[in-house]
């Protein structure tokens, strides 16, 4: 038996790459499922609207679904654009034949304009497909077309959801409700409503409905209960909207891979910091640069905002038996002190994302100066009472120097060890800088 979880989308292609199967496939992939598809319709579409569209012949729609379902263990499918009554009937019989659990996104129009479902198809959709659906995900306009209820209030939404459920649907989720962007989840088996709250998210929405229903399928296939799956799908699509691309002149496409891009950056940051730590621990001579309080190495992701976006060593690096040792491994949010130096530095120069603190000595400063490194300092006695030393000291030194220097030091105070901080583009660069300093002071 295969461990791979397979998702199937039965939908139209959007040549502009924002919605339809293109959005579904990226969403399934981003959330860890193997993406398969049966194309129902090929639209010539971009961010401005649908220019043209061609239906795939019915036998070929069936054979795509058969090909996938006879080979792979497919439990869940979703439908998107099913333009004609004949396509809907064909898909309904395939869904029955392969006993697919079904998410139906009753797609009717494109965000930027263009009809995706023939008027004559609406009744077939309700009669033939809805009774097979585990969940249907209309927006308020689609819900009105399906139920006849104009949705202005939550009571209207509830009325529409109940009417749609009567068509044989187990669960109805009306997205983008009244007053705000909240969703209304209706579970017919226990006649329960749940509201999924939302903030209004700024960004392009082309493909948001497809992305939402595809994400919902993934969470349902992971056996979350419907309201919980709806909450996860909502947060997923909010992120995809807020990071929408700026491709095209019309309604910008959402980016279902937005959070993966961030995690690729996080992974690289993690790998570089771990590599830097390995180099540092393998150099016995580095012990000379370890301060009494120990040291840490930190590296921020390119768009870091908080300490949780900064990789560092859990605990700290200290000296034991003449060698550097780390008390923990690398993790995000692990270094408060050195991490806040990095956050203050990237504020002035986004390229400078890493920092290592080393033992203060006149010899180290002289070596830095001989190496041509930029040096700036702050004095703890100048520090205002209501600030964090690292935030303030770093910003102060940068301001005084006019840009981010490679070296920021302070000479300490009562009970405060003097310290030197080395800054650079990434963690390995900073460790290499430290090792060149060690060579010079030997
Ligand atoms: C192919 C296709 N499916 C769905 C939508 C709805 O976003 C769209 N614009 N295009």
């Amino acid at each position: 038996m295969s461990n791979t979880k397979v998702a199937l989308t039965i939908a139209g292609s959007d040549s502009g790459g924002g919605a339809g199967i293109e959005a579904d496939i990226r969403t399934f992939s981003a959330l860890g499922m193997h993406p398969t598809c049966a194309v129902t319709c090929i639209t010539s579409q971009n961010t401005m609207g649908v220019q043209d569209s061609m239906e795939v012949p019915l036998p070929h729609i069936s054979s795509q679904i058969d090909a996938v379902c006879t080979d792979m263990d497919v439990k869940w499918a979703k439908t998107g654009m099913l333009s004609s009554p004949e396509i809907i009937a064909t898909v309904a019989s395939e869904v029955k034949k392969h006993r697919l659990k079904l998410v139906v996104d009753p797609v009717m129009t494109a965000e930027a304009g263009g009809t995706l479902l023939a008027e004559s198809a609406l009744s077939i959709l309700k009669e033939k497909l809805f009774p097979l659906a585990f969940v249907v995900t209309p927006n308020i306009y689609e819900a009105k077309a399906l139920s006849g209820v104009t949705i202005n209030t939550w009571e209207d939404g509830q009325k529409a959801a109940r009417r749609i459920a009567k068509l044989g649907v187990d669960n109805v989720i009306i997205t983008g409700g009244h007053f705000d962007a909240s969703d209304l989840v209706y579970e017919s088996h226990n006649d329960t409503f749940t509201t999924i709250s939302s903030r209004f998210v700024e960004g392009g929405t082309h493909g948001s409905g497809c992305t939402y229903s595809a994400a919902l399928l993934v969470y349902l296939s992971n056996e979350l209960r419907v309201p919980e799956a709806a909450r996860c799908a909502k947060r997923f699509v909010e992120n995809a909207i807020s990071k929408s691309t700026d491709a095209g002149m019309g309604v910008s496409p959402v980016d279902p891979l937005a959070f993966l891009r961030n995690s690729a950056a996080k992974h690289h940051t993690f790998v570089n910091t771990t590599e830097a730590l390995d180099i540092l621990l393998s150099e016995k001579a580095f012990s000379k640069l370890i301060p009494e309080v120990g040291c840490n190495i930190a590296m921020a992701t390119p768009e870091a905002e908080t300490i949780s976006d900064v990789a560092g060593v859990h605990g700290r690096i200290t000296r034991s038996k003449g060698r550097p040792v780390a008390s923990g491994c690398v993790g995000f949010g692990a270094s408060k002190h050195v991490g806040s130096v990095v956050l203050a530095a990237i504020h002035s120069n986004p390229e400078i994302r890493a920092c290592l603190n080393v033992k203060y000595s006149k010899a180290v400063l002289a070596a830095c100066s001989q190496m041509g490194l930029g040096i700036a300092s702050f004095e703890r006695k100048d520090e205002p009472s209501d600030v964090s030393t690292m935030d303030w000291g770093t910003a102060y030194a940068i301001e005084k120097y006019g840009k981010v220097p490679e070296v920021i030091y302070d000479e300490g105070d009562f009970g405060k060890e003097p310290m030197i901080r080395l800054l650079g583009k990434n963690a390995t660069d900073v460790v290499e800088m430290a090792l060149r300093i060690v060579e010079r002071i030997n």
Side-chain angles (χ1 to χ4, degrees):
M1 270 294 275
S2 151
N3 284 321
T4 306
K5 288 198 158 207
V6 182
L8 170 63
T9 172
I10 305 168
S13 164
D14 168 6
S15 54
I21 54 168
E22 288 78 7
D24 294 340
I25 286 178
R26 282 185 294 165
T27 302
F28 294 155
S29 312
L31 293 174
M33 288 186 86
H34 174 65
T36 64
C37 64
V39 185
T40 54
C41 219
I42 302 169
T43 69
S44 304
Q45 189 178 172
N46 57 26
T47 62
M48 316 279 277
V50 178
Q51 272 98 54
D52 194 6
S53 150
M54 184 187 82
E55 289 178 356
V56 172
L58 301 178
H60 197 64
I61 295 177
S62 300
S63 69
Q64 292 176 80
I65 300 173
D66 289 339
V68 172
C69 295
T70 55
D71 180 33
M72 300 177 193
D73 182 20
V74 186
K75 293 200 171 62
W76 283 90
K78 67 153 274 191
T79 60
M81 178 183 183
L82 306 173
S83 47
S84 72
E86 296 76 20
I87 291 180
I88 295 167
T90 301
V91 169
S93 82
E94 287 294 322
V95 166
K96 258 194 245 169
K97 177 160 125 197
H98 297 288
R99 296 171 205 280
L100 298 168
K101 290 191 190 168
L102 196 62
V103 175
V104 174
D105 181 12
V107 173
M108 296 180 191
T109 56
E111 284 79 359
T115 304
L116 301 174
L117 176 80
E119 194 81 46
S120 60
L122 197 60
S123 58
I124 309 289
L125 189 69
K126 289 169 25 178
E127 274 165 40
K128 292 236 158 101
L129 202 60
F130 277 27
L132 306 176
F134 179 68
V135 52
V136 177
T137 61
N139 61 32
I140 50 170
Y141 307 105
E142 292 159 348
K144 179 186 171 175
L146 293 165
S147 67
V149 180
T150 304
I151 301 173
N152 287 313
T153 64
W154 284 111
E155 288 68 36
D156 297 337
Q158 297 186 344
K159 195 167 151 192
R162 281 205 175 96
R163 280 203 193 169
I164 295 168
K166 287 238 160 63
L167 299 166
V169 181
D170 297 318
N171 304 280
V172 179
I173 303 176
I174 301 180
T175 61
H178 190 54
F179 301 129
D180 57 19
S182 303
D183 297 345
L184 183 62
V185 179
Y186 177 58
E187 298 169 274
S188 68
H189 73 95
N190 56 6
D191 195 37
T192 309
F193 289 96
T194 310
T195 329
I196 310 297
S197 67
S198 177
R199 357 169 224 119
F200 177 78
V201 182
E202 196 88 43
T205 55
H206 182 88
S208 56
C210 307
T211 299
Y212 175 81
S213 53
L216 185 71
L217 179 158
V218 176
Y219 291 115
L220 291 171
S221 78
N222 285 321
E223 287 169 22
L224 291 190
R225 292 165 43 77
V226 175
E228 195 48 40
R231 187 167 336 214
C232 290
K234 180 82 171 167
R235 300 298 167 245
F236 183 85
V237 77
E238 281 174 348
N239 187 53
I241 293 171
S242 72
K243 311 254 171 61
S244 58
T245 64
D246 59 2
M249 296 177 281
V251 181
S252 300
V254 300
D255 184 0
L257 301 184
F259 81 99
L260 283 188
R261 253 217 300 276
N262 186 27
S263 74
K266 259 192 149 160
H267 187 247
H268 169 253
T269 301
F270 176 83
V271 168
N272 188 275
T273 309
T274 305
E275 197 179 324
L277 178 65
D278 289 345
I279 298 171
L280 193 155
L281 295 179
S282 69
E283 288 289 337
K284 204 171 172 192
F286 180 78
S287 318
K288 288 190 200 131
L289 288 190
I290 299 178
E292 297 308 319
V293 296
C295 65
N296 210 321
I297 178 151
M299 180 172 172
T301 58
E303 283 162 25
E305 281 169 8
T306 68
I307 280 290
S308 65
D309 303 318
V310 183
V313 180
H314 283 291
R316 57 189 68 183
I317 302 161
T318 52
R319 184 174 31 208
S320 169
K321 299 184 182 121
R323 301 194 64 91
V325 291
S327 52
C329 56
V330 172
F332 282 91
S335 166
K336 300 282 172 289
H337 278 79
V338 186
S340 48
V341 173
V342 169
L343 287 174
I346 57 173
H347 205 71
S348 302
N349 181 353
E351 293 226 314
I352 305 300
R353 286 160 46 203
C355 178
L356 167 70
N357 67 309
V358 298
K359 192 178 177 68
Y360 174 92
S361 75
K362 290 269 191 286
V364 170
L365 284 181
C368 291
S369 162
Q370 282 166 16
M371 285 160 61
L373 302 177
I375 304 175
S377 65
F378 63 89
E379 289 190 43
R380 283 178 179 261
K381 68 173 171 50
D382 295 334
E383 179 185 329
S385 58
D386 54 347
V387 297
S388 128
T389 305
M390 292 309 125
D391 297 348
W392 169 81
T394 308
Y396 178 93
I398 291 169
E399 166 113 20
K400 201 165 66 168
Y401 189 70
K403 59 179 184 179
V404 181
E406 281 97 351
V407 182
I408 296 178
Y409 72 91
D410 78 277
E411 295 182 313
D413 203 345
F414 274 120
K416 299 282 181 197
E417 187 181 3
M419 195 68 69
I420 296 176
R421 299 152 195 96
L422 307 176
L423 294 117
K425 289 189 173 167
N426 58 48
T428 49
D429 282 359
V430 171
V431 164
E432 274 158 23
M433 196 194 303
L435 297 179
R436 289 203 306 277
I437 293 170
V438 171
E439 260 171 41
R440 281 187 182 263
I441 61 174
N442 261 343

Short mmCIF file of all heavy atoms in Angstrom, two decimals, residues 111-159:
data_model
loop_
_atom_site.label_atom_id
_atom_site.label_comp_id
_atom_site.label_asym_id
_atom_site.label_seq_id
_atom_site.Cartn_x
_atom_site.Cartn_y
_atom_site.Cartn_z
N GLU A 111 -13.38 35.95 -11.31
CA GLU A 111 -13.23 37.19 -10.51
C GLU A 111 -13.20 38.42 -11.41
O GLU A 111 -13.78 39.45 -11.10
CB GLU A 111 -11.95 37.15 -9.68
CG GLU A 111 -12.01 36.26 -8.46
CD GLU A 111 -11.83 34.79 -8.80
OE1 GLU A 111 -11.68 34.45 -9.98
OE2 GLU A 111 -11.87 33.98 -7.86
N ALA A 112 -12.48 38.30 -12.52
CA ALA A 112 -12.31 39.47 -13.39
C ALA A 112 -13.40 39.55 -14.45
O ALA A 112 -13.35 40.38 -15.34
CB ALA A 112 -10.93 39.44 -14.03
N GLY A 113 -14.38 38.67 -14.38
CA GLY A 113 -15.47 38.70 -15.35
C GLY A 113 -15.42 37.52 -16.30
O GLY A 113 -14.35 37.06 -16.67
N GLY A 114 -16.58 37.03 -16.67
CA GLY A 114 -16.65 35.88 -17.57
C GLY A 114 -17.48 34.78 -16.94
O GLY A 114 -17.25 34.43 -15.78
N THR A 115 -18.45 34.25 -17.69
CA THR A 115 -19.31 33.19 -17.18
C THR A 115 -18.62 31.85 -17.30
O THR A 115 -18.05 31.54 -18.35
CB THR A 115 -20.63 33.17 -17.97
OG1 THR A 115 -21.20 34.47 -17.88
CG2 THR A 115 -21.60 32.16 -17.40
N LEU A 116 -18.66 31.06 -16.24
CA LEU A 116 -18.00 29.76 -16.26
C LEU A 116 -19.00 28.61 -16.19
O LEU A 116 -18.62 27.46 -16.30
CB LEU A 116 -16.99 29.68 -15.10
CG LEU A 116 -15.89 30.75 -15.09
CD1 LEU A 116 -15.06 30.64 -13.82
CD2 LEU A 116 -15.00 30.64 -16.31
N LEU A 117 -20.27 28.96 -15.96
CA LEU A 117 -21.28 27.92 -15.85
C LEU A 117 -22.51 28.39 -16.63
O LEU A 117 -23.03 29.48 -16.38
CB LEU A 117 -21.67 27.71 -14.38
CG LEU A 117 -22.79 26.72 -14.09
CD1 LEU A 117 -22.25 25.30 -14.11
CD2 LEU A 117 -23.43 27.00 -12.73
N ALA A 118 -22.97 27.58 -17.58
CA ALA A 118 -24.15 27.96 -18.36
C ALA A 118 -25.36 28.02 -17.44
O ALA A 118 -25.49 27.22 -16.51
CB ALA A 118 -24.37 26.94 -19.48
N GLU A 119 -26.22 28.99 -17.69
CA GLU A 119 -27.46 29.17 -16.93
C GLU A 119 -28.24 27.84 -16.82
O GLU A 119 -28.71 27.44 -15.76
CB GLU A 119 -28.34 30.21 -17.65
CG GLU A 119 -29.50 30.77 -16.85
CD GLU A 119 -29.05 31.89 -15.91
OE1 GLU A 119 -28.29 32.78 -16.34
OE2 GLU A 119 -29.49 31.83 -14.75
N SER A 120 -28.29 27.15 -17.97
CA SER A 120 -29.04 25.90 -18.07
C SER A 120 -28.44 24.78 -17.21
O SER A 120 -29.07 23.75 -16.99
CB SER A 120 -29.06 25.44 -19.53
OG SER A 120 -27.72 25.24 -19.96
N ALA A 121 -27.21 25.00 -16.72
CA ALA A 121 -26.53 23.93 -15.99
C ALA A 121 -26.83 23.96 -14.49
O ALA A 121 -26.60 22.98 -13.78
CB ALA A 121 -25.03 24.03 -16.22
N LEU A 122 -27.35 25.09 -14.03
CA LEU A 122 -27.54 25.26 -12.58
C LEU A 122 -28.43 24.18 -11.97
O LEU A 122 -28.10 23.61 -10.92
CB LEU A 122 -28.14 26.66 -12.32
CG LEU A 122 -28.05 27.18 -10.90
CD1 LEU A 122 -26.60 27.31 -10.45
CD2 LEU A 122 -28.73 28.55 -10.80
N SER A 123 -29.55 23.88 -12.65
CA SER A 123 -30.47 22.90 -12.07
C SER A 123 -29.86 21.49 -12.07
O SER A 123 -30.07 20.72 -11.13
CB SER A 123 -31.80 22.91 -12.83
OG SER A 123 -31.54 22.63 -14.20
N ILE A 124 -29.06 21.17 -13.09
CA ILE A 124 -28.40 19.85 -13.15
C ILE A 124 -27.36 19.74 -12.03
O ILE A 124 -27.20 18.69 -11.40
CB ILE A 124 -27.68 19.64 -14.51
CG1 ILE A 124 -28.63 19.92 -15.66
CG2 ILE A 124 -27.09 18.25 -14.62
CD1 ILE A 124 -29.71 18.89 -15.85
N LEU A 125 -26.67 20.84 -11.81
CA LEU A 125 -25.68 20.88 -10.73
C LEU A 125 -26.35 20.51 -9.41
O LEU A 125 -25.87 19.67 -8.65
CB LEU A 125 -25.07 22.29 -10.65
CG LEU A 125 -23.88 22.49 -9.73
CD1 LEU A 125 -22.66 21.76 -10.28
CD2 LEU A 125 -23.55 23.99 -9.58
N LYS A 126 -27.51 21.14 -9.17
CA LYS A 126 -28.24 20.90 -7.92
C LYS A 126 -28.80 19.48 -7.85
O LYS A 126 -28.72 18.82 -6.81
CB LYS A 126 -29.38 21.92 -7.78
CG LYS A 126 -28.82 23.29 -7.49
CD LYS A 126 -29.72 24.51 -7.54
CE LYS A 126 -31.16 24.44 -7.35
NZ LYS A 126 -31.78 25.81 -7.41
N GLU A 127 -29.33 19.01 -8.97
CA GLU A 127 -29.97 17.69 -8.97
C GLU A 127 -28.99 16.53 -8.97
O GLU A 127 -29.17 15.54 -8.28
CB GLU A 127 -30.81 17.53 -10.24
CG GLU A 127 -32.20 18.07 -10.15
CD GLU A 127 -32.80 18.19 -11.55
OE1 GLU A 127 -32.57 17.28 -12.38
OE2 GLU A 127 -33.45 19.22 -11.80
N LYS A 128 -27.95 16.65 -9.82
CA LYS A 128 -27.08 15.49 -10.06
C LYS A 128 -25.84 15.45 -9.18
O LYS A 128 -25.39 14.37 -8.79
CB LYS A 128 -26.64 15.47 -11.53
CG LYS A 128 -27.77 15.20 -12.51
CD LYS A 128 -27.44 13.99 -13.38
CE LYS A 128 -28.67 13.37 -13.97
NZ LYS A 128 -28.86 13.76 -15.37
N LEU A 129 -25.27 16.64 -8.95
CA LEU A 129 -23.98 16.63 -8.26
C LEU A 129 -24.11 16.86 -6.74
O LEU A 129 -23.41 16.22 -5.95
CB LEU A 129 -23.04 17.67 -8.88
CG LEU A 129 -21.55 17.42 -8.64
CD1 LEU A 129 -21.11 16.07 -9.21
CD2 LEU A 129 -20.70 18.52 -9.24
N PHE A 130 -25.00 17.77 -6.37
CA PHE A 130 -25.10 18.10 -4.95
C PHE A 130 -25.39 16.89 -4.06
O PHE A 130 -24.82 16.78 -2.97
CB PHE A 130 -26.12 19.22 -4.72
CG PHE A 130 -25.55 20.60 -4.95
CD1 PHE A 130 -24.48 20.80 -5.81
CD2 PHE A 130 -26.08 21.72 -4.30
CE1 PHE A 130 -23.95 22.06 -6.03
CE2 PHE A 130 -25.54 22.99 -4.50
CZ PHE A 130 -24.49 23.17 -5.37
N PRO A 131 -26.25 15.95 -4.50
CA PRO A 131 -26.51 14.80 -3.62
C PRO A 131 -25.26 13.95 -3.36
O PRO A 131 -25.23 13.15 -2.43
CB PRO A 131 -27.56 14.00 -4.40
CG PRO A 131 -28.22 14.99 -5.28
CD PRO A 131 -27.14 15.96 -5.67
N LEU A 132 -24.23 14.13 -4.20
CA LEU A 132 -22.99 13.36 -4.02
C LEU A 132 -21.96 14.13 -3.19
O LEU A 132 -20.88 13.62 -2.89
CB LEU A 132 -22.38 13.04 -5.39
CG LEU A 132 -23.30 12.35 -6.41
CD1 LEU A 132 -22.57 12.20 -7.75
CD2 LEU A 132 -23.74 10.99 -5.88
N ALA A 133 -22.27 15.38 -2.86
CA ALA A 133 -21.26 16.25 -2.24
C ALA A 133 -21.21 16.09 -0.73
O ALA A 133 -22.24 16.07 -0.06
CB ALA A 133 -21.54 17.70 -2.60
N PHE A 134 -19.99 15.99 -0.21
CA PHE A 134 -19.82 16.03 1.24
C PHE A 134 -19.90 17.48 1.71
O PHE A 134 -20.47 17.79 2.74
CB PHE A 134 -18.46 15.43 1.63
CG PHE A 134 -18.20 15.47 3.11
CD1 PHE A 134 -18.94 14.69 3.98
CD2 PHE A 134 -17.20 16.30 3.63
CE1 PHE A 134 -18.71 14.73 5.35
CE2 PHE A 134 -16.97 16.34 5.00
CZ PHE A 134 -17.72 15.56 5.86
N VAL A 135 -19.33 18.37 0.91
CA VAL A 135 -19.41 19.79 1.23
C VAL A 135 -19.46 20.62 -0.05
O VAL A 135 -18.83 20.27 -1.05
CB VAL A 135 -18.26 20.23 2.18
CG1 VAL A 135 -16.90 19.84 1.67
CG2 VAL A 135 -18.27 21.73 2.44
N VAL A 136 -20.26 21.68 0.01
CA VAL A 136 -20.36 22.63 -1.10
C VAL A 136 -19.91 23.99 -0.56
O VAL A 136 -20.26 24.36 0.56
CB VAL A 136 -21.81 22.71 -1.62
CG1 VAL A 136 -21.93 23.75 -2.73
CG2 VAL A 136 -22.26 21.36 -2.16
N THR A 137 -19.15 24.73 -1.37
CA THR A 137 -18.55 25.99 -0.88
C THR A 137 -18.92 27.22 -1.71
O THR A 137 -18.04 27.84 -2.32
CB THR A 137 -17.00 25.87 -0.88
OG1 THR A 137 -16.59 25.64 -2.26
CG2 THR A 137 -16.50 24.74 -0.01
N PRO A 138 -20.19 27.61 -1.74
CA PRO A 138 -20.55 28.80 -2.51
C PRO A 138 -20.14 30.09 -1.80
O PRO A 138 -20.09 30.13 -0.57
CB PRO A 138 -22.08 28.72 -2.56
CG PRO A 138 -22.46 28.01 -1.30
CD PRO A 138 -21.35 27.02 -1.04
N ASN A 139 -19.83 31.14 -2.58
CA ASN A 139 -19.73 32.46 -1.96
C ASN A 139 -21.17 33.01 -1.86
O ASN A 139 -22.12 32.34 -2.28
CB ASN A 139 -18.79 33.38 -2.76
CG ASN A 139 -19.25 33.60 -4.19
OD1 ASN A 139 -20.46 33.63 -4.47
ND2 ASN A 139 -18.31 33.76 -5.10
N ILE A 140 -21.34 34.22 -1.35
CA ILE A 140 -22.72 34.68 -1.12
C ILE A 140 -23.52 34.84 -2.42
O ILE A 140 -24.72 34.64 -2.44
CB ILE A 140 -22.82 35.98 -0.28
CG1 ILE A 140 -21.92 37.07 -0.82
CG2 ILE A 140 -22.51 35.71 1.18
CD1 ILE A 140 -22.19 38.42 -0.15
N TYR A 141 -22.83 35.16 -3.52
CA TYR A 141 -23.55 35.32 -4.79
C TYR A 141 -23.98 33.97 -5.35
O TYR A 141 -25.09 33.80 -5.84
CB TYR A 141 -22.67 36.08 -5.79
CG TYR A 141 -22.16 37.37 -5.19
CD1 TYR A 141 -20.84 37.50 -4.77
CD2 TYR A 141 -23.05 38.43 -4.97
CE1 TYR A 141 -20.40 38.67 -4.17
CE2 TYR A 141 -22.62 39.60 -4.37
CZ TYR A 141 -21.30 39.72 -3.97
OH TYR A 141 -20.86 40.86 -3.37
N GLU A 142 -23.05 33.00 -5.25
CA GLU A 142 -23.39 31.65 -5.70
C GLU A 142 -24.48 31.06 -4.81
O GLU A 142 -25.40 30.39 -5.29
CB GLU A 142 -22.13 30.77 -5.68
CG GLU A 142 -21.10 31.19 -6.73
CD GLU A 142 -19.67 30.72 -6.47
OE1 GLU A 142 -19.36 30.25 -5.35
OE2 GLU A 142 -18.84 30.87 -7.38
N ALA A 143 -24.41 31.35 -3.52
CA ALA A 143 -25.43 30.84 -2.59
C ALA A 143 -26.80 31.40 -2.95
O ALA A 143 -27.82 30.71 -2.88
CB ALA A 143 -25.07 31.20 -1.15
N LYS A 144 -26.81 32.66 -3.38
CA LYS A 144 -28.09 33.26 -3.79
C LYS A 144 -28.63 32.57 -5.04
O LYS A 144 -29.83 32.22 -5.12
CB LYS A 144 -27.93 34.75 -4.07
CG LYS A 144 -29.26 35.30 -4.51
CD LYS A 144 -29.31 36.70 -4.97
CE LYS A 144 -30.73 36.82 -5.53
NZ LYS A 144 -31.12 38.08 -5.95
N ALA A 145 -27.73 32.33 -6.02
CA ALA A 145 -28.16 31.66 -7.25
C ALA A 145 -28.68 30.25 -6.96
O ALA A 145 -29.60 29.76 -7.61
CB ALA A 145 -26.99 31.60 -8.24
N LEU A 146 -28.10 29.61 -5.95
CA LEU A 146 -28.48 28.23 -5.63
C LEU A 146 -29.74 28.13 -4.79
O LEU A 146 -30.49 27.16 -4.87
CB LEU A 146 -27.33 27.52 -4.89
CG LEU A 146 -26.06 27.28 -5.72
CD1 LEU A 146 -24.90 26.92 -4.82
CD2 LEU A 146 -26.30 26.18 -6.76
N SER A 147 -29.96 29.14 -3.94
CA SER A 147 -31.05 29.03 -2.96
C SER A 147 -32.17 30.03 -3.18
O SER A 147 -33.25 29.90 -2.60
CB SER A 147 -30.48 29.26 -1.55
OG SER A 147 -30.04 30.60 -1.43
N GLY A 148 -31.88 31.06 -3.97
CA GLY A 148 -32.86 32.11 -4.16
C GLY A 148 -32.87 33.13 -3.03
O GLY A 148 -33.64 34.09 -3.06
N VAL A 149 -32.02 32.94 -2.02
CA VAL A 149 -32.01 33.85 -0.87
C VAL A 149 -30.94 34.94 -1.06
O VAL A 149 -29.77 34.63 -1.26
CB VAL A 149 -31.72 33.09 0.45
CG1 VAL A 149 -31.72 34.04 1.64
CG2 VAL A 149 -32.69 31.95 0.65
N THR A 150 -31.36 36.18 -1.00
CA THR A 150 -30.39 37.28 -1.03
C THR A 150 -29.79 37.39 0.37
O THR A 150 -30.52 37.47 1.36
CB THR A 150 -31.08 38.61 -1.38
OG1 THR A 150 -31.75 38.43 -2.62
CG2 THR A 150 -30.07 39.74 -1.51
N ILE A 151 -28.46 37.38 0.45
CA ILE A 151 -27.83 37.31 1.78
C ILE A 151 -27.35 38.69 2.23
O ILE A 151 -26.39 39.24 1.70
CB ILE A 151 -26.68 36.28 1.78
CG1 ILE A 151 -27.25 34.91 1.39
CG2 ILE A 151 -26.02 36.22 3.16
CD1 ILE A 151 -26.21 33.83 1.21
N ASN A 152 -28.07 39.23 3.21
CA ASN A 152 -27.67 40.50 3.80
C ASN A 152 -27.35 40.34 5.28
O ASN A 152 -26.61 41.13 5.84
CB ASN A 152 -28.79 41.53 3.65
CG ASN A 152 -28.91 42.01 2.22
OD1 ASN A 152 -27.90 42.34 1.59
ND2 ASN A 152 -30.13 42.02 1.70
N THR A 153 -27.93 39.34 5.90
CA THR A 153 -27.73 39.13 7.34
C THR A 153 -27.32 37.69 7.59
O THR A 153 -27.41 36.85 6.69
CB THR A 153 -29.05 39.37 8.10
OG1 THR A 153 -29.99 38.36 7.67
CG2 THR A 153 -29.63 40.74 7.83
N TRP A 154 -26.89 37.41 8.83
CA TRP A 154 -26.53 36.04 9.18
C TRP A 154 -27.74 35.11 9.07
O TRP A 154 -27.61 33.96 8.68
CB TRP A 154 -25.93 35.96 10.57
CG TRP A 154 -24.53 36.46 10.56
CD1 TRP A 154 -24.04 37.60 11.12
CD2 TRP A 154 -23.41 35.85 9.87
NE1 TRP A 154 -22.71 37.75 10.84
CE2 TRP A 154 -22.30 36.68 10.08
CE3 TRP A 154 -23.28 34.70 9.11
CZ2 TRP A 154 -21.04 36.39 9.55
CZ3 TRP A 154 -22.03 34.39 8.59
CH2 TRP A 154 -20.92 35.25 8.81
N GLU A 155 -28.90 35.66 9.38
CA GLU A 155 -30.12 34.85 9.28
C GLU A 155 -30.36 34.43 7.83
O GLU A 155 -30.73 33.30 7.55
CB GLU A 155 -31.34 35.61 9.82
CG GLU A 155 -31.36 35.77 11.34
CD GLU A 155 -30.26 36.69 11.86
OE1 GLU A 155 -29.93 37.70 11.19
OE2 GLU A 155 -29.70 36.39 12.94
N ASP A 156 -30.12 35.38 6.90
CA ASP A 156 -30.24 35.05 5.48
C ASP A 156 -29.27 33.93 5.11
O ASP A 156 -29.63 33.00 4.39
CB ASP A 156 -29.89 36.27 4.59
CG ASP A 156 -30.84 37.44 4.81
OD1 ASP A 156 -31.97 37.21 5.27
OD2 ASP A 156 -30.43 38.58 4.50
N GLY A 157 -28.04 34.05 5.62
CA GLY A 157 -27.01 33.05 5.33
C GLY A 157 -27.45 31.67 5.82
O GLY A 157 -27.28 30.66 5.12
N GLN A 158 -28.02 31.65 7.01
CA GLN A 158 -28.46 30.38 7.60
C GLN A 158 -29.59 29.76 6.78
O GLN A 158 -29.61 28.56 6.53
CB GLN A 158 -28.90 30.59 9.04
CG GLN A 158 -27.73 31.06 9.91
CD GLN A 158 -28.08 31.14 11.37
OE1 GLN A 158 -29.25 31.14 11.74
NE2 GLN A 158 -27.07 31.21 12.21
N LYS A 159 -30.50 30.64 6.34
CA LYS A 159 -31.63 30.18 5.53
C LYS A 159 -31.11 29.59 4.21
O LYS A 159 -31.54 28.49 3.80
CB LYS A 159 -32.54 31.38 5.26
CG LYS A 159 -33.91 31.03 4.75
CD LYS A 159 -34.78 32.29 4.85
CE LYS A 159 -35.87 32.28 3.79
NZ LYS A 159 -36.53 33.58 3.66
#
